């Protein structure tokens, strides 16, 4: 009765916040206490997800049986190729590489995870992998103990000694786990002993499913014609998606030359206020304005620039040159396309963006940008599509270039080099649209580039204006949106590139800011592969320990 009518004593509130995957919960008929409606929904969703998973497993089993019978009967009516690989039997050789570069490497799992994919080869196991391993072990034990009462024994999980993990992008993740288990026999001669078993586990990708939610359509309901919803599938299926979903996907993946959005659809035509702080750096601002002219001014894209301009003491001429350049573009296009907010206070990014925000309309869509960023028309479109007033904010993942000095050489396709006077030396820069592994990295830890509504910015409290100097203000704002339960949309944006510039870490920075600045500076030097090759090609560095041992032995 204690197992069937389960009383949770393991957690203070007893709401199964962390113990849903325990074997006791799996066996129970009732769970107590669950007093909060939020946890009632959570438990219900978890149990329903278990049923869905069981149905998916049954579906995979049926596909495998059909594939096996097809081979036996030599019946061509069932084609295993039509099931997205679900009919393939479990095997570690489903994918057969044709060259060494196509071999899918394994990651080693122990107390930490050892992987070549990260610049830090040894790191802690992230929560997503922990959750996947817990779910796998839970499924294995449920299967092993399915007829435990008939056999008179149970097997309990203790820990994972070690394991290997890889992701086959065509079929699904593979696992090889060394499990430490407890074998308990409760019939005849009772006994309990520890055993180790190897488990070879595979999860199968199911076919892609798409759902259209009218609440989040790009088009407003009154603008959707009858031809843009569900339509019968002429190929014998149930239904196919057309209209807004297809349009959204086209807009998402197409980087340049976006089609003109239909008249009357508000999101694709929404006005964007680009807020950008600047101090000095006139040449960099010239490059930004060339990009701004090509993306916004010439095609008359509905956007404007709100420039928060600080006067640089190190470069006083840059201030007037910047104003002259702004006036040139105002006279050439529209006086309203650029607004300048001048301030003589000490430069700090948070307060600078705050000044720019106050110059925007209450319902404005804001896009926080830095002068080092090059963006495309598609990037600006994604700013509009990935924000929802009162619901969702967009923090794009920007491609950040490496230092061209160790990366570039004359004749390399991804570099533009200018030979100096007299043929002496050359100055190289990386091409902005090259997002290869050797040219840069995706700035997963950066939150400074953001798209949000002005009303949402004020709702969460905006920037912490007490933060001065480099960094940390963006992380603070990102955390506030999480605390206010906004949807945070994070995705790689192939149209945004952070052009390399030398990073100077001021000695006046706080400890946390200094660590962030130094880490960012180190990340921007060169790729791990290039650094490793430079060591491999230098025997004095590569074999320095061998020489040390030889000298010590002599």
């Amino acid at each position: 009765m204690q197992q069937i009518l389960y009383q949770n004593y393991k957690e203070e509130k007893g709401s199964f916040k962390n113990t849903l995957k325990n074997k006791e919960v799996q066996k129970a008929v009732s769970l107590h206490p669950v007093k909060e409606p939020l946890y009632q929904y959570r438990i219900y969703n978890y149990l329903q997800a278990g049923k869905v998973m069981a149905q998916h497993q049954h579906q995979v089993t049926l596909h495998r049986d059909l594939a096996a019978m097809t081979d036996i009967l030599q019946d061509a009516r069932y084609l295993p190729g039509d099931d997205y690989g679900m009919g393939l039997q479990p095997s570690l050789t489903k994918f057969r590489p044709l060259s060494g570069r196509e071999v899918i490497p394994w990651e080693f799992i122990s107390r930490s995870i050892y992987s070549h994919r990260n610049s830090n080869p040894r790191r802690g196991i992230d929560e997503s992998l922990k959750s996947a391993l817990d779910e796998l072990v839970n499924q294995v034990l449920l299967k092993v103990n399915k007829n435990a009462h008939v056999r008179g024994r149970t097997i309990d999980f203790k820990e994972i000694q070690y394991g290997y993990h890889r992701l086959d992008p065509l079929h699904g993740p593979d696992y090889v786990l060394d499990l430490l288990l407890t074998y308990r026999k409760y019939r005849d001669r009772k006994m309990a002993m520890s055993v180790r078993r190897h488990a070879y586990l595979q999860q199968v990708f199911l076919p892609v499913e798409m759902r259209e939610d009218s609440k989040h359509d790009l088009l407003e309901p009154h603008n959707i014609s009858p031809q843009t919803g569900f339509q019968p599938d002429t190929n014998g299926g149930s239904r196919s998606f057309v209209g807004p979903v297809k349009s959204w996907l086209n807009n998402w993946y197409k980087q340049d030359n976006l089609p003109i959005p239909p008249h009357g659809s508000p999101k694709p035509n929404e006005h964007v206020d680009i807020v950008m702080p600047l101090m000095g750096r006139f040449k960099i601002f010239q490059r930004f304005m060339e990009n701004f002219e090509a993306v916004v001014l010439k095609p008359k894209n509905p956007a404007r620039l709100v420039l928060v301009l600080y006067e640089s003491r190190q470069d006083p001429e840059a201030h007037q040159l910047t104003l002259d350049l702004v006036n040139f573009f105002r006279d050439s296009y529209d006086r309203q396309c650029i607004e300048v907010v001048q301030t003589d206070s000490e430069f700090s990014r948070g307060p600078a963006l705050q000044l720019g925000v106050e110059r925007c309309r209450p319902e404005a869509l804001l896009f926080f940008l830095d002068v080092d960023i090059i963006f495309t028309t598609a990037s600006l479109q994604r700013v509009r599509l990935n924000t929802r007033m009162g619901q969702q904010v967009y923090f794009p993942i920007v491609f950040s270039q490496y230092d061209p000095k160790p990366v570039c050489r004359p004749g390399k396709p991804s570099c533009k080099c200018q030979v100096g006077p007299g043929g002496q030396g050359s100055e190289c820069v990386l091409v902005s649209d090259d997002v290869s592994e050797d040219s840069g990295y995706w700035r997963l830890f950066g939150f400074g580039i953001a798209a949000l509504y002005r009303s949402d910015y004020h709702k969460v409290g905006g920037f912490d204006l007490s933060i001065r100097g480099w960094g940390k203000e963006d992380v603070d704002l990102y955390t506030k949106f999480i605390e206010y339960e906004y949807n945070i949309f994070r995705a790689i944006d192939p149209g945004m590139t952070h052009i390399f510039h030398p990073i100077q870490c001021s000695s006046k920075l706080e400890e946390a800011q200094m660590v962030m600045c130094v880490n960012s500076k180190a990340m921007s030097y060169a790729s791990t592969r290039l650094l490793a090759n430079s060591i491999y090609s230098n025997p004095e560095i590569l074999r320095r320990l061998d020489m040390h041992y030889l000298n010590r032995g002599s």
Side-chain angles (χ1 to χ4, degrees), residues 219 247 251 258-270 302 381 384:
L219 306 179
S247 172
N251 286 336
L258 284 172
I260 299 174
H263 182 71
S265 52
K267 282 303 276 183
N269 282 328
E270 191 170 10
Q381 194 74 316
R384 299 182 178 103

Side-chain angles (χ1 to χ4, degrees), residues 407-413 415-419 425-428:
V407 173
C408 282
R409 62 181 182 273
K412 192 173 182 181
C415 300
K416 290 183 179 179
C417 297
Q418 294 181 349
V419 180
S426 60
E427 184 178 352
C428 298

Side-chain angles (χ1 to χ4, degrees), residues 315-520:
D315 190 5
E317 293 183 1
H319 186 78
Q320 187 58 47
L321 290 173
T322 301
L323 291 175
D324 292 342
L325 185 62
V326 168
N327 289 328
F328 169 77
F329 280 102
R330 279 176 166 177
D331 295 337
S332 302
Y333 293 95
D334 182 3
R335 300 292 299 179
Q336 305 300 322
C337 66
I338 305 174
E339 180 176 353
V340 179
V341 183
Q342 298 191 58
T343 174
D344 55 358
S345 59
E346 182 184 358
F347 180 84
S348 188
R349 189 171 184 271
L353 291 172
Q354 174 77 16
L355 288 174
V357 168
E358 298 306 323
R359 294 298 185 97
C360 302
R361 294 171 291 107
E363 70 280 5
L365 173 58
L366 309 176
F367 182 29
F368 295 155
L369 202 60
D370 289 340
V371 71
D372 303 295
I373 300 294
I374 295 295
F375 64 100
T376 64
T377 305
S379 299
L380 206 57
Q381 194 74 316
R382 283 187 281 270
V383 165
R384 299 182 178 103
L385 299 178
N386 295 327
T387 49
R388 296 281 172 184
M389 185 180 292
Q391 300 177 21
Q392 181 170 294
V393 293
Y394 177 42
F395 286 83
I397 299 173
V398 178
F399 185 79
S400 188
Q401 290 183 342
Y402 288 131
D403 187 347
K405 290 182 180 179
V407 173
C408 282
R409 62 181 182 273
K412 192 173 182 181
S414 60
C415 300
K416 290 183 179 179
C417 297
Q418 294 181 349
V419 180
Q424 299 294 324
S426 60
E427 184 178 352
C428 298
V429 294
L430 288 161
V431 180
S432 61
D433 58 355
D434 179 19
V435 292
S436 63
E437 184 180 354
D438 291 333
S439 296
Y441 63 98
W442 296 103
R443 194 178 283 262
L444 301 174
F445 52 83
F447 306 99
I449 311 304
L452 49 115
Y453 283 90
R454 185 177 185 268
S455 56
D456 297 330
Y457 172 84
H458 285 297
K459 182 178 178 181
V460 301
F463 286 109
D464 183 352
L465 302 182
S466 64
I467 297 176
R468 298 289 173 175
W470 191 94
K472 203 175 179 181
E473 83 290 332
D474 53 347
V475 178
D476 176 76
L477 182 66
Y478 183 84
T479 305
K480 287 177 179 176
F481 277 111
I482 294 176
E483 292 173 349
Y484 275 80
E485 299 184 353
Y486 276 77
N487 294 328
I488 308 293
F489 191 89
R490 290 274 286 166
I492 285 173
D493 194 313
M496 287 192 200
T497 303
H498 181 273
I499 306 299
F500 174 82
H501 64 88
I503 299 176
Q504 303 294 334
C505 299
S506 173
S507 58
K508 298 180 182 180
L509 293 176
E510 297 180 3
E511 182 179 355
Q513 291 175 300
M514 177 62 75
V515 170
M516 295 168 63
C517 183
V518 171
N519 288 345
S520 180

Side-chain angles (χ1 to χ4, degrees), residues 285-300:
F285 181 66
Q286 274 184 309
R287 182 187 65 202
F288 176 85
M289 287 307 301
E290 291 175 4
N291 177 235
F292 183 76
E293 181 183 25
V295 174
V296 176
L297 299 180
K298 285 184 177 180
K300 297 183 179 180

Side-chain angles (χ1 to χ4, degrees), residues 178-195:
D178 185 292
L179 303 177
L180 182 60
L181 308 169
T182 301
Y183 176 87
R184 302 183 191 277
K185 185 177 180 181
Y186 55 84
R187 281 188 184 172
D188 300 329
R189 188 164 63 97
K190 296 182 180 180
M191 60 179 295
M193 59 184 296
S194 296
V195 296

